[in-house]
Amino acid sequence: MKDLSSNNKSIVDGPSRVDGKHKVTGKARYAAEHPIDGMLYGVLVDSTIAKGTIASIDSKAAEWAPGVKAVISHLNSPKIPGYDDKFYGLKVFFNNKVLFYGQPVALVVADSFERALHAATLVKVTYNKDKSETSVDKNLANAKLPGNPRMKDYVRGEADAYKKAEVSLEEEYLMPLEVHNPMELHAIIAHWLADDKVKVYDKTQGIKDTQESISKTFKLPQENVQVIAEYVGGGFGSALRTWPHEIAALLGAKKTGRPVKLVLNRMQMFTMVGYRPYTRMKMGLGATKDGKLTGITHEATAQTSRYEEFTEATVNMSKFMYKCANANTRYRLVQMDVSVPTWMRGPGEATGSFALECAMDELAYKLDLDPLEFRMKNYAEVDPENGKPFSSKHLDEAYKLGAEKIGWYDRNRKPASMKEDGMLVGYGMSSGTFGAFRWEATASARINADGTLVVQSAVSDCGPGTATSMVQIASESFGIDASKTSFILGDSALPPGPTQGGSGTTSALGSAVFDTCLALKKQLHEIAAAEQDSPLYQSKFEDVKFEDGDILLSRSKKVAITDLLKKKNVPSIAVTLESKGNEELQKYSMYSFSVHFAKVHVHPLTGVVRVVQVATVADSGKIISEKTAAGQMIGGVTGGIGMALTEEGVFDDRFGKFINNNLADYHVPVHADVPHIDTIFINKPDPIINPMGAKGMGEIALIGFAAAIANAVYHATGKRIRELPITPDKVMGAEV
Amino acid sequence: MKPEDTSNEKPHRHIKHTERRDFLKKSSLLTAISLAPGSLIKAAEAELDEKFASALEQLPLSIEVNGKMQQVNVEPRVTLLDFLREQLQLTGTKKGCDHGQCGACTVHVDGKRVNSCLSLAVMHQGKKITTIEGLANGDELHPMQEAFIKHDGFQCGYCTPGQIMSAVACINEGHANSKDEIREFMSGNICRCGAYPNIVDAIADVKNGGQKA
């Protein structure tokens, strides 16, 4: 059957994930899946108003219900020493203030999940309700410059220069509220081992961050907080910080003196662990008649909470993506009676790129230029924001490869000109970018007498395949077969690893693994070179190679590492090393880039949009693991399909509450929404950023993609939809 | 709660709701008379109260899970999902929404795929349940598990057990004759990491390899 043939050769042929077997057999244990004797279950009671105060809490019925061990609210909560004036964020069970709908106001702890769930319904809370504001659109007049000094207005050359341009465009774009919704519900098991010592099994993307956050909140020595996160069932940013429910579980465990498991329900995933903020944007673009950009203006107004400010780099991409002498940005926030937003995959840039990349498409049509040609006419060879060279940039090659794959030049560029199988056909493209970083990280590497290499670091993996990549880096760096190499993660007691966010894990941790393996090699060689009867006696490190567990000076002069350890009578030799970038990095602008091409079908009567073909290209330096990298790109595109066509968190502003806070009403893409996706890698090492030459790709996989779909819908229909998601009603209602 | 051997007991003791209500009423009356704080009273009578309540609230259940007969007592309100995860410690079956909207909890009941969060454990008296833990033959993985690894049909792995259980059933139902058909009949299983194309490739591969029902 031809239709069933498998066609992604690089995925099939490459080395598989090192944790794959655990994941397909159910052996992988996520946060809530660690059995502990005497475990209790916590269920949160959420506020049913968006703003006001708690008038009373009657917990008697709940306390007397079978199996209930404690009901905790602001009335009886153990004091949290870290909830001082400096604490930033929601203080759980701290006072009677209600700051958003769904705020945790009480915790019921019982000896079974069912008993806790039932007792939670018996807690009666009354409120003094104030009028709440949750509509950004109705409160645009209250938009303010953020307190964050990095978010001030930016001007290069002349502000609003687009207004004087020969050809110009000014349009508004909307990114609705999006929710991460990883498949694993946020969960924690809190277990106090002593009054000042706690162990948690937690869903977190940052093991050391969570350790630090808990130790600060409860004023504990950091080493008295152990955080375990061996498997994390997706995050996309939602597990980048410590949330109130985690503190609530710690309180429940403290109060009852027993381990407490707390798992959020899907509705709480919309209100308690952040979201991508609703953002209104205005783009102004100006160009000469022959297509040279003369002005870029990007304005954004986003929602945040009243109790904590959240900002993201929404307008940054417009400062450096294209060569243009005049560029300016303005970023504003509206405080709402909502929970605080947080970083969500491609934070800032995913929102901003939608406006910029749609506007580029619109202006290209105004100029009668191919959108790809228009981009190439304004290609930035150096960073327009600071004049620095890029550490590496092959975006031009990415454009070319993507265009070839999708058949870009075979299309008729005229809008609403193509049809097949009764459907309107459209092609669209866009590009994306995200900063590439190299943070500091520490890893340890241990070579054992049996010839196996064990590398460790306190990092968690929410899905990209960190252990798989690290095994590949370690085995290549050390010159040993991957089957003899393992990577241990998921425990704060290990050497401090980076937080898995900002597409920075492979760069930071990979460098630490690379450098640590190098140091271990040097140490082993030093031992061998000091042995008088060794064939490597007095050899130089520069002259030897490490291959298949041997140290070689030449084919005949070599020492097996296992023999070396036996001779020295040691079970293993280990090195722990911190690794970070040098000052050289400051001389460069470091970014990853992506290009997305999409083909859509639009139903001429119903306006339903189907994505039928995608080619996505990553320029993110050297690819460490092609199999997992392809997965990242495919996943980013899938998220982008949701952003473009279906995802939108909707509030009923009368009550300040979500009305689609579940997976039946908040539409994430399903199998039927996602076609075959071609992933292409430039795979050229970045010579500057780190020893591997690898840059991040988690964010760029998504950034820009929604614009490719919006541009394809325009090409198919002649209709510009500037407010996401592009639902059938918008397609039908729009004018050509 | 640990599973108990109740094989000598008669199945389905019928408990009248009034008995439980009477008990609670009496219990509450006693505590009210004492005029002491709820927590103190509870500490005093906790053990008896809880054991009694627990005995009244549970029903015996005979259920075969991954080839092993389980004779247990379970509250009627316990879902098959929570029963598997919390009482049998079979945590391979995942909770993603608890509302039948995501498919992460998919298991086989007498060979058919079922959202275990949408059915109560006590509804499966005498039935055969297969979870992800029961799919492999010892150390030998099921072809679908092998195919998911080969095609990288997952990232975080949380939806994976549900996808695999659903995928095996999808082929057995005869709903894997084209990639479009696979997409349609797998759409009840959400993967937020977005591994869909690889999952479809894995299923197609197994189908081509002639999976046996």
Side-chain angles (χ1 to χ4, degrees):
Chain A
M1 205 172 331
K2 200 178 168 214
D3 182 36
L4 283 177
S5 66
S6 193
N7 39 15
N8 220 331
K9 209 170 158 350
S10 69
I11 289 181
V12 174
D13 292 347
S16 295
R17 286 171 193 263
V18 294
D19 50 5
K21 196 169 177 185
H22 276 114
K23 287 179 175 177
V24 302
T25 53
K27 288 199 178 83
R29 283 195 192 275
Y30 297 80
E33 299 172 352
H34 296 265
I36 301 177
D37 281 344
M39 183 132 66
L40 301 175
Y41 294 78
V43 169
L44 289 166
V45 178
D46 315 337
S47 73
T48 53
I49 63 163
K51 188 182 187 182
T53 52
I54 299 166
S56 70
I57 296 183
D58 178 1
S59 58
K60 271 198 235 47
E63 280 171 40
W64 286 344
V68 173
K69 305 296 177 195
V71 180
I72 302 170
S73 69
H74 72 281
L75 299 174
N76 65 346
S77 170
K79 284 281 167 283
I80 295 189
Y83 278 176
D84 51 23
D85 293 344
K86 281 182 230 148
F87 185 89
Y88 203 51
L90 183 79
K91 297 172 182 171
V92 70
F93 310 146
F94 185 70
N95 57 27
N96 67 347
K97 288 204 174 68
V98 175
L99 302 166
F100 59 90
Y101 199 107
Q103 176 183 324
V105 294
L107 172 73
V108 176
V109 182
D111 62 0
S112 81
F113 170 62
E114 291 76 18
R115 284 173 157 186
L117 192 61
H118 172 65
T121 66
L122 302 176
V123 178
K124 299 294 171 222
V125 187
T126 61
Y127 300 94
N128 297 312
K129 188 174 163 186
D130 294 334
K131 187 174 165 7
S132 61
E133 294 290 344
T134 51
S135 164
V136 174
D137 289 357
K138 283 183 188 158
N139 288 278
L140 287 171
N142 300 325
K144 288 193 179 74
L145 193 68
N148 182 347
R150 285 163 57 200
M151 295 294 157
K152 61 182 190 233
D153 291 356
Y154 169 83
V155 184
R156 176 171 80 235
E158 192 185 334
D160 302 324
Y162 72 94
K163 288 181 177 168
K164 300 178 190 163
E166 289 174 4
V167 185
S168 71
L169 171 118
E170 184 186 299
E171 291 293 352
E172 288 189 12
Y173 301 86
L174 172 72
M175 177 65 63
L177 185 157
E178 273 201 315
V179 187
H180 310 70
N181 275 316
M183 292 318 296
E184 182 199 16
L185 300 162
H186 275 247
I188 180 170
I189 296 171
H191 189 192
W192 290 90
L193 305 171
D195 271 354
D196 63 346
K197 200 169 178 203
V198 71
K199 183 174 185 178
V200 298
Y201 299 87
D202 198 9
K203 180 184 176 84
T204 174
Q205 293 172 244
I207 286 187
K208 296 302 285 184
D209 279 357
T210 299
Q211 183 192 34
E212 189 187 333
S213 174
I214 291 172
S215 80
K216 276 186 178 167
T217 306
F218 287 90
K219 298 265 194 258
L220 303 169
Q222 195 151 317
E223 62 274 16
N224 284 16
V225 179
Q226 189 182 10
V227 179
I228 306 286
E230 290 172 326
Y231 288 93
V232 179
F236 316 107
S238 67
L240 279 172
R241 62 176 291 184
T242 304
W243 296 103
H245 74 270
E246 292 161 273
I247 305 303
L250 283 154
L251 288 173
K254 185 129 228 177
K255 185 119 181 161
T256 56
R258 286 170 64 175
V260 168
K261 179 196 291 198
L262 193 159
V263 183
L264 296 189
N265 63 38
R266 187 52 70 179
M267 287 76 81
Q268 290 167 337
M269 294 286 287
F270 284 70
T271 46
M272 292 193 193
V273 290
Y275 53 88
R276 192 194 301 285
Y278 182 101
T279 307
R280 283 221 168 263
M281 290 178 283
K282 188 177 95 177
M283 282 303 309
L285 288 183
T288 59
K289 276 182 196 152
D290 62 348
K292 290 269 166 60
L293 280 169
T294 56
I296 300 174
T297 299
H298 192 162
E299 296 176 4
T301 304
Q303 71 182 144
T304 189
S305 74
R306 289 203 202 277
Y307 59 90
E308 185 179 347
E309 176 178 285
F310 173 76
T311 59
E312 56 181 2
T314 307
V315 294
N316 281 21
M317 183 175 162
S318 295
K319 298 175 189 170
F320 65 84
M321 192 63 183
Y322 299 104
K323 188 180 170 186
C324 184
N326 305 304
N328 65 302
T329 65
R330 300 181 183 97
Y331 179 76
R332 299 290 180 271
L333 291 177
V334 185
Q335 289 188 346
M336 306 263 80
D337 299 305
V338 293
S339 61
V340 70
T342 198
W343 306 282
M344 181 168 166
R345 195 173 195 173
E349 273 86 351
T351 298
S353 63
F354 173 63
L356 176 64
E357 292 296 290
C358 283
M360 286 296 286
D361 197 80
E362 296 199 39
L363 192 55
Y365 272 95
K366 267 196 170 185
L367 291 159
D368 195 25
L369 284 173
D370 187 286
L372 184 48
E373 192 190 342
F374 180 45
R375 283 174 173 84
M376 282 310 299
K377 267 179 183 283
N378 295 285
Y379 195 77
E381 296 286 357
V382 295
D383 186 340
E385 193 181 351
N386 51 28
K388 289 181 188 177
F390 290 106
S391 57
S392 68
K393 180 177 179 181
H394 306 284
L395 180 59
D396 46 355
E397 197 179 334
Y399 283 137
K400 198 164 149 268
L401 291 174
E404 274 166 17
K405 193 77 195 176
I406 201 97
W408 183 249
Y409 294 108
D410 299 335
R411 82 200 196 288
N412 180 345
R413 198 209 308 163
K414 198 166 163 265
S417 63
M418 296 179 71
K419 271 192 177 182
E420 67 186 20
D421 306 331
M423 296 287 183
L424 306 172
V425 175
Y427 288 82
M429 60 88 50
S430 66
S431 36
T433 182
F434 196 78
F437 310 100
R438 180 176 171 188
W439 303 307
E440 57 192 41
T442 306
S444 72
R446 185 179 77 235
I447 184 83
N448 294 318
D450 65 357
T452 55
L453 177 70
V454 181
V455 185
Q456 310 185 84
S457 186
V459 66
S460 66
D461 177 15
C462 64
T466 298
T468 306
S469 307
M470 292 310 128
V471 162
Q472 278 175 250
I473 290 171
S475 71
E476 276 174 39
S477 167
F478 196 79
I480 192 174
D481 196 78
S483 65
K484 290 186 175 170
T485 311
S486 58
F487 184 77
I488 296 172
L489 46 63
D491 185 340
S492 61
L494 299 170
T499 289
Q500 192 174 57
S503 297
T505 308
T506 300
S507 177
L509 186 58
S511 301
V513 169
F514 185 94
D515 287 349
T516 307
C517 287
L518 183 66
L520 182 59
K521 284 197 292 189
K522 282 183 178 163
Q523 195 168 327
L524 289 167
H525 171 259
E526 206 172 292
I527 295 168
E531 298 279 308
Q532 288 195 7
D533 56 347
S534 164
L536 305 180
Y537 181 56
Q538 290 192 333
S539 62
K540 287 180 183 161
F541 182 71
E542 297 78 48
D543 297 333
V544 299
K545 274 197 283 187
F546 280 69
E547 263 179 36
D548 297 329
D550 292 336
I551 315 174
L552 295 91
L553 194 54
S554 66
R555 284 288 141 210
S556 56
K557 288 186 170 182
K558 61 179 182 181
V559 171
I561 294 170
T562 48
D563 292 343
L564 191 65
L565 266 65
K566 254 178 230 148
K567 195 167 175 209
K568 285 277 154 200
N569 199 21
V570 288
S572 63
I573 293 177
V575 168
T576 301
L577 195 81
E578 189 194 64
S579 165
K580 57 184 170 190
N582 55 29
E583 283 174 10
E584 181 74 6
L585 299 185
Q586 305 301 322
K587 297 180 188 162
Y588 296 89
S589 270
M590 303 193 294
Y591 290 96
S592 288
F593 296 92
S594 60
V595 175
H596 310 288
F597 285 87
K599 178 185 176 186
V600 301
H601 278 173
V602 182
H603 193 279
L605 292 178
T606 64
V608 169
V609 180
R610 308 287 297 168
V611 182
V612 295
Q613 195 189 345
V614 173
T616 186
V617 195
D619 169 23
S620 60
K622 181 184 157 69
I623 301 300
I624 303 292
S625 156
E626 235 177 80
K627 194 169 203 156
T628 54
Q632 281 266 66
M633 293 302 287
I634 289 170
V637 166
T638 303
I641 290 174
M643 178 189 278
L645 300 178
T646 57
E647 290 185 44
E648 179 180 23
V650 182
F651 269 76
D652 185 332
D653 294 319
R654 294 171 302 171
F655 307 103
K657 69 175 288 197
F658 268 108
I659 54 172
N660 63 339
N661 50 350
N662 61 76
L663 292 176
D665 296 318
Y666 181 95
H667 296 156
V668 302
V670 299
H671 275 280
D673 296 319
V674 181
H676 174 75
I677 296 163
D678 283 307
T679 54
I680 302 166
F681 304 115
I682 301 297
N683 203 2
K684 289 184 180 166
D686 183 302
I688 305 298
I689 188 164
N690 55 41
M692 300 84 61
K695 296 192 278 192
M697 66 166 13
E699 327 286 338
I700 55 161
L702 170 74
I703 293 168
F705 187 80
I709 299 297
N711 296 338
V713 169
Y714 170 73
H715 179 234
T717 63
K719 295 173 177 182
R720 284 285 176 193
I721 315 294
R722 302 182 183 91
E723 300 205 344
L724 295 178
I726 304 171
T727 45
D729 54 309
K730 290 179 190 165
V731 178
M732 288 167 72
E735 285 175 19
V736 175
Chain B
M1 279 176 287
K2 291 253 165 67
E4 254 174 70
D5 186 8
T6 56
S7 48
N8 293 329
E9 288 185 25
K10 280 184 202 164
H12 294 293
R13 266 177 306 155
H14 292 284
I15 296 161
K16 284 180 190 158
H17 209 134
T18 48
E19 286 176 20
R20 163 107 174 92
R21 267 211 306 271
D22 284 348
F23 162 70
L24 283 180
K25 221 158 107 185
K26 280 169 201 160
S27 173
S28 301
L29 190 64
L30 284 170
T31 56
I33 288 168
S34 78
L35 294 174
S39 55
L40 285 182
I41 295 298
K42 271 178 65 71
E45 63 170 2
E47 292 308 307
L48 185 68
D49 182 323
E50 318 255 302
K51 276 181 190 155
F52 195 49
S54 163
L56 285 170
E57 282 167 353
Q58 298 195 349
L59 292 176
L61 171 69
S62 305
I63 189 168
E64 189 185 317
V65 181
N66 298 334
K68 196 177 158 196
M69 204 61 196
Q70 301 278 351
Q71 306 280 352
V72 293
N73 285 327
V74 62
E75 289 183 21
R77 62 185 169 180
V78 174
T79 64
L80 178 58
L81 172 61
D82 288 324
F83 170 69
L84 292 169
R85 281 173 67 84
E86 305 298 338
Q87 297 190 37
L88 299 188
Q89 304 298 335
L90 291 171
T91 53
T93 305
K94 303 303 183 193
K95 184 182 280 194
C97 69
D98 231 4
H99 287 71
Q101 298 168 343
C102 79
C105 66
T106 306
V107 298
H108 295 174
V109 177
D110 290 342
K112 294 207 166 107
R113 51 175 162 169
V114 161
N115 283 338
S116 61
C117 75
L118 283 189
S119 75
L120 300 168
V122 292
M123 293 157 66
H124 300 291
Q125 180 74 29
K127 293 195 176 151
K128 289 181 182 177
I129 313 294
T130 307
T131 72
I132 192 72
E133 290 94 340
L135 198 60
N137 182 8
D139 279 344
E140 190 192 335
L141 295 184
H142 185 280
M144 192 63 78
Q145 292 170 313
E146 292 280 10
F148 266 64
I149 293 175
K150 177 173 139 195
H151 291 275
D152 208 34
F154 52 87
Q155 287 192 37
C156 79
Y158 197 79
C159 75
T160 311
Q163 299 277 359
I164 291 174
M165 297 312 286
S166 212
V168 170
C170 182
I171 293 180
N172 289 344
E173 289 160 11
H175 289 143
N177 298 305
S178 70
K179 286 195 176 179
D180 274 345
E181 194 182 21
I182 293 170
R183 287 185 188 107
E184 190 64 30
F185 282 87
M186 286 297 293
S187 278
N189 288 83
I190 295 175
C191 170
R192 187 58 159 160
C193 297
Y196 295 130
N198 296 354
I199 294 171
V200 172
D201 284 352
I203 299 171
D205 203 358
V206 175
K207 165 76 179 172
N208 281 345
Q211 177 192 303
K212 290 186 191 107

